[in-house]
Amino acid sequence: GENVEQHPSTLSVQEGDSAVIKCTYSDSASNYFPWYKQELGKRPQLIIDIRSNVGEKKDQRIAVTLNKTAKHFSLHITETQPEDSAVYFCAASGNTGKLIFGQGTTLQVKP
Amino acid sequence: EAGVTQSPTHLIKTRGQQATLRCSPISGHTSVYWYQQALGLGLQFLLWYDEGEERNRGNFPPRFSGRQFPNYSSELNVNALELEDSALYLCASSKGQYNQPQHFGDGTRLSIL
């Protein structure tokens, strides 16, 4: 069935370091891959997304890469700041409307 | 631009009761999605409505149902509440169909006593 595996479950970095979160999806029909940031007690916020016809996308300190062959996609955050601390979720979707979410990664950025 | 709004913020019910949760999408969005975020289980897809029709449904029992109104707002109804229904219920909206960015509301926290 449809499944998205996300690693690591927790990640602690020093301020200024880079953080990488990786996801693997099972459904080869998946063609849309968004990433959400959820701060404690707040709504999930879309931070970046990528479609299957693109291999990489950047937005300031955030980038996402997609390897369709391996069914892997990753989130890269450079020059991390304390306000980047949150739970990050990857998701995958085919033409079904539904997002299949990973289990989440708790990122802690230490000042 | 106003975001997705959900009501109520919190809802407390007892086992066997029925709950109704409401969602207003972003203006111009025609699709509404419902997700359940239970502690330790991540976000699970419940339902997708577009142009008043149910387009897809997740692996939840039939006592989870909903509808979308002509103004694109939506209701989620949960009948015969069980303890494990306690969760944050999140609504998202998007333009059109298929893989448009989904924007979430703040959710309704449903607690079953």
Short mmCIF file of all heavy atoms in Angstrom, two decimals, chain B residues 46-73:
data_model
loop_
_atom_site.label_atom_id
_atom_site.label_comp_id
_atom_site.label_asym_id
_atom_site.label_seq_id
_atom_site.Cartn_x
_atom_site.Cartn_y
_atom_site.Cartn_z
N LEU B 46 -8.36 11.67 5.85
CA LEU B 46 -9.73 11.24 6.12
C LEU B 46 -10.61 11.34 4.87
O LEU B 46 -11.18 10.37 4.40
CB LEU B 46 -10.35 12.12 7.20
CG LEU B 46 -10.30 11.66 8.64
CD1 LEU B 46 -10.62 12.81 9.58
CD2 LEU B 46 -11.27 10.51 8.87
N LEU B 47 -10.76 12.56 4.35
CA LEU B 47 -11.73 12.82 3.29
C LEU B 47 -11.25 13.96 2.41
O LEU B 47 -10.53 14.85 2.87
CB LEU B 47 -13.09 13.19 3.89
CG LEU B 47 -13.89 12.08 4.59
CD1 LEU B 47 -14.91 12.69 5.53
CD2 LEU B 47 -14.57 11.19 3.56
N TRP B 48 -11.70 13.94 1.16
CA TRP B 48 -11.44 15.03 0.22
C TRP B 48 -12.75 15.37 -0.49
O TRP B 48 -13.41 14.51 -1.04
CB TRP B 48 -10.38 14.62 -0.81
CG TRP B 48 -10.20 15.56 -1.96
CD1 TRP B 48 -10.36 16.91 -1.97
CD2 TRP B 48 -9.83 15.20 -3.29
NE1 TRP B 48 -10.11 17.42 -3.21
CE2 TRP B 48 -9.77 16.40 -4.05
CE3 TRP B 48 -9.52 14.00 -3.93
CZ2 TRP B 48 -9.42 16.42 -5.39
CZ3 TRP B 48 -9.18 14.01 -5.26
CH2 TRP B 48 -9.13 15.21 -5.99
N TYR B 49 -13.10 16.66 -0.45
CA TYR B 49 -14.26 17.17 -1.16
C TYR B 49 -13.83 18.21 -2.17
O TYR B 49 -12.96 19.04 -1.91
CB TYR B 49 -15.27 17.80 -0.18
CG TYR B 49 -15.90 16.79 0.72
CD1 TYR B 49 -15.39 16.56 2.00
CD2 TYR B 49 -17.00 16.06 0.32
CE1 TYR B 49 -15.95 15.62 2.82
CE2 TYR B 49 -17.58 15.11 1.14
CZ TYR B 49 -17.04 14.89 2.39
OH TYR B 49 -17.60 13.95 3.21
N ASP B 50 -14.47 18.16 -3.34
CA ASP B 50 -14.22 19.16 -4.35
C ASP B 50 -15.52 19.42 -5.11
O ASP B 50 -16.19 18.46 -5.52
CB ASP B 50 -13.13 18.72 -5.33
CG ASP B 50 -12.84 19.79 -6.38
OD1 ASP B 50 -12.23 20.80 -6.01
OD2 ASP B 50 -13.24 19.61 -7.54
N GLU B 51 -15.87 20.69 -5.25
CA GLU B 51 -17.11 21.08 -5.94
C GLU B 51 -18.33 20.33 -5.40
O GLU B 51 -19.19 19.90 -6.16
CB GLU B 51 -16.96 20.86 -7.45
CG GLU B 51 -15.87 21.71 -8.09
CD GLU B 51 -16.28 23.18 -8.24
OE1 GLU B 51 -17.42 23.55 -7.85
OE2 GLU B 51 -15.46 23.97 -8.73
N GLY B 52 -18.35 20.14 -4.10
CA GLY B 52 -19.52 19.53 -3.46
C GLY B 52 -19.56 18.02 -3.47
O GLY B 52 -20.48 17.42 -2.91
N GLU B 53 -18.56 17.39 -4.09
CA GLU B 53 -18.56 15.94 -4.20
C GLU B 53 -17.44 15.33 -3.35
O GLU B 53 -16.36 15.91 -3.24
CB GLU B 53 -18.33 15.51 -5.66
CG GLU B 53 -19.34 16.03 -6.64
CD GLU B 53 -20.60 15.18 -6.67
OE1 GLU B 53 -20.52 13.99 -6.31
OE2 GLU B 53 -21.65 15.72 -7.05
N GLU B 54 -17.69 14.15 -2.79
CA GLU B 54 -16.63 13.41 -2.12
C GLU B 54 -15.77 12.76 -3.19
O GLU B 54 -16.25 11.94 -3.98
CB GLU B 54 -17.21 12.34 -1.19
CG GLU B 54 -16.12 11.57 -0.44
CD GLU B 54 -16.71 10.50 0.48
OE1 GLU B 54 -17.53 10.84 1.35
OE2 GLU B 54 -16.35 9.32 0.31
N ARG B 55 -14.48 13.09 -3.21
CA ARG B 55 -13.58 12.61 -4.26
C ARG B 55 -12.72 11.44 -3.81
O ARG B 55 -12.30 10.62 -4.61
CB ARG B 55 -12.64 13.73 -4.71
CG ARG B 55 -13.33 14.96 -5.25
CD ARG B 55 -14.09 14.69 -6.53
NE ARG B 55 -14.67 15.92 -7.07
CZ ARG B 55 -15.43 15.97 -8.15
NH1 ARG B 55 -15.73 14.86 -8.80
NH2 ARG B 55 -15.91 17.13 -8.57
N ASN B 56 -12.41 11.37 -2.52
CA ASN B 56 -11.58 10.29 -2.02
C ASN B 56 -11.79 10.15 -0.53
O ASN B 56 -12.20 11.12 0.15
CB ASN B 56 -10.10 10.55 -2.33
CG ASN B 56 -9.28 9.26 -2.34
OD1 ASN B 56 -9.77 8.19 -1.98
ND2 ASN B 56 -8.04 9.35 -2.75
N ARG B 57 -11.53 8.97 -0.03
CA ARG B 57 -11.76 8.67 1.37
C ARG B 57 -10.60 7.83 1.89
O ARG B 57 -10.13 6.92 1.20
CB ARG B 57 -13.06 7.89 1.49
CG ARG B 57 -13.44 7.53 2.87
CD ARG B 57 -14.74 6.75 2.92
NE ARG B 57 -15.06 6.49 4.30
CZ ARG B 57 -15.72 7.33 5.08
NH1 ARG B 57 -16.16 8.47 4.59
NH2 ARG B 57 -15.95 7.05 6.33
N GLY B 58 -10.14 8.11 3.10
CA GLY B 58 -9.07 7.33 3.71
C GLY B 58 -9.61 6.10 4.41
O GLY B 58 -10.80 5.79 4.38
N ASN B 59 -8.71 5.37 5.07
CA ASN B 59 -9.08 4.12 5.74
C ASN B 59 -9.69 4.37 7.11
O ASN B 59 -9.09 4.07 8.15
CB ASN B 59 -7.85 3.22 5.86
CG ASN B 59 -7.35 2.77 4.51
OD1 ASN B 59 -8.14 2.56 3.59
ND2 ASN B 59 -6.05 2.64 4.37
N PHE B 60 -10.84 4.95 7.12
CA PHE B 60 -11.59 5.22 8.34
C PHE B 60 -12.97 4.60 8.22
O PHE B 60 -13.50 4.48 7.12
CB PHE B 60 -11.70 6.73 8.59
CG PHE B 60 -10.44 7.35 9.13
CD1 PHE B 60 -9.41 7.72 8.28
CD2 PHE B 60 -10.28 7.54 10.50
CE1 PHE B 60 -8.24 8.28 8.77
CE2 PHE B 60 -9.12 8.10 11.00
CZ PHE B 60 -8.10 8.47 10.14
N PRO B 61 -13.58 4.22 9.36
CA PRO B 61 -14.91 3.59 9.30
C PRO B 61 -15.97 4.57 8.81
O PRO B 61 -15.78 5.80 8.85
CB PRO B 61 -15.15 3.17 10.75
CG PRO B 61 -14.23 4.00 11.58
CD PRO B 61 -13.04 4.29 10.73
N PRO B 62 -17.12 4.03 8.38
CA PRO B 62 -18.20 4.88 7.82
C PRO B 62 -18.77 5.88 8.80
O PRO B 62 -19.44 6.84 8.38
CB PRO B 62 -19.27 3.85 7.42
CG PRO B 62 -18.53 2.57 7.28
CD PRO B 62 -17.41 2.61 8.25
N ARG B 63 -18.51 5.70 10.11
CA ARG B 63 -19.05 6.68 11.05
C ARG B 63 -18.35 8.04 10.93
O ARG B 63 -18.79 9.02 11.51
CB ARG B 63 -18.98 6.15 12.49
CG ARG B 63 -17.62 5.76 12.94
CD ARG B 63 -17.68 4.96 14.26
NE ARG B 63 -16.33 4.72 14.74
CZ ARG B 63 -15.64 5.62 15.42
NH1 ARG B 63 -16.19 6.79 15.70
NH2 ARG B 63 -14.42 5.36 15.83
N PHE B 64 -17.27 8.07 10.15
CA PHE B 64 -16.65 9.35 9.78
C PHE B 64 -17.25 9.75 8.43
O PHE B 64 -17.08 9.03 7.43
CB PHE B 64 -15.13 9.22 9.64
CG PHE B 64 -14.41 9.09 10.94
CD1 PHE B 64 -14.28 7.87 11.57
CD2 PHE B 64 -13.83 10.19 11.55
CE1 PHE B 64 -13.62 7.74 12.78
CE2 PHE B 64 -13.15 10.08 12.75
CZ PHE B 64 -13.05 8.85 13.37
N SER B 65 -17.93 10.87 8.40
CA SER B 65 -18.53 11.32 7.15
C SER B 65 -18.49 12.84 7.10
O SER B 65 -18.13 13.50 8.07
CB SER B 65 -19.98 10.83 7.05
OG SER B 65 -20.77 11.43 8.06
N GLY B 66 -18.86 13.38 5.96
CA GLY B 66 -18.86 14.83 5.86
C GLY B 66 -19.62 15.29 4.64
O GLY B 66 -20.28 14.50 3.96
N ARG B 67 -19.53 16.57 4.43
CA ARG B 67 -20.12 17.13 3.22
C ARG B 67 -19.48 18.49 2.93
O ARG B 67 -18.84 19.08 3.81
CB ARG B 67 -21.63 17.28 3.39
CG ARG B 67 -22.07 18.06 4.60
CD ARG B 67 -23.59 18.12 4.67
NE ARG B 67 -24.06 18.70 5.92
CZ ARG B 67 -25.31 19.10 6.12
NH1 ARG B 67 -26.21 18.99 5.15
NH2 ARG B 67 -25.68 19.59 7.28
N GLN B 68 -19.70 18.94 1.71
CA GLN B 68 -19.23 20.26 1.31
C GLN B 68 -20.42 21.05 0.80
O GLN B 68 -21.22 20.54 0.01
CB GLN B 68 -18.15 20.16 0.23
CG GLN B 68 -17.52 21.51 -0.11
CD GLN B 68 -16.42 21.41 -1.15
OE1 GLN B 68 -16.48 20.58 -2.06
NE2 GLN B 68 -15.42 22.27 -1.03
N PHE B 69 -20.51 22.27 1.24
CA PHE B 69 -21.64 23.12 0.91
C PHE B 69 -21.36 23.94 -0.36
O PHE B 69 -20.21 24.03 -0.80
CB PHE B 69 -21.93 24.05 2.09
CG PHE B 69 -22.30 23.29 3.34
CD1 PHE B 69 -21.36 23.06 4.32
CD2 PHE B 69 -23.59 22.80 3.52
CE1 PHE B 69 -21.68 22.35 5.47
CE2 PHE B 69 -23.92 22.09 4.66
CZ PHE B 69 -22.97 21.86 5.64
N PRO B 70 -22.41 24.55 -0.94
CA PRO B 70 -22.21 25.34 -2.17
C PRO B 70 -21.19 26.46 -2.03
O PRO B 70 -20.58 26.86 -3.03
CB PRO B 70 -23.62 25.89 -2.47
CG PRO B 70 -24.53 24.85 -1.90
CD PRO B 70 -23.84 24.37 -0.64
N ASN B 71 -20.97 26.97 -0.82
CA ASN B 71 -19.96 28.03 -0.63
C ASN B 71 -18.58 27.42 -0.37
O ASN B 71 -17.66 28.15 0.00
CB ASN B 71 -20.37 28.97 0.50
CG ASN B 71 -20.37 28.29 1.86
OD1 ASN B 71 -20.19 27.07 1.95
ND2 ASN B 71 -20.58 29.06 2.90
N TYR B 72 -18.43 26.13 -0.55
CA TYR B 72 -17.19 25.36 -0.42
C TYR B 72 -16.78 25.08 1.03
O TYR B 72 -15.78 24.38 1.24
CB TYR B 72 -16.03 26.00 -1.19
CG TYR B 72 -16.33 26.16 -2.65
CD1 TYR B 72 -16.48 27.43 -3.22
CD2 TYR B 72 -16.52 25.05 -3.47
CE1 TYR B 72 -16.79 27.57 -4.56
CE2 TYR B 72 -16.83 25.19 -4.81
CZ TYR B 72 -16.97 26.46 -5.35
OH TYR B 72 -17.28 26.61 -6.67
N SER B 73 -17.51 25.60 2.01
CA SER B 73 -17.22 25.22 3.38
C SER B 73 -17.59 23.74 3.56
O SER B 73 -18.29 23.15 2.72
CB SER B 73 -17.98 26.10 4.37
OG SER B 73 -19.37 25.88 4.28
#
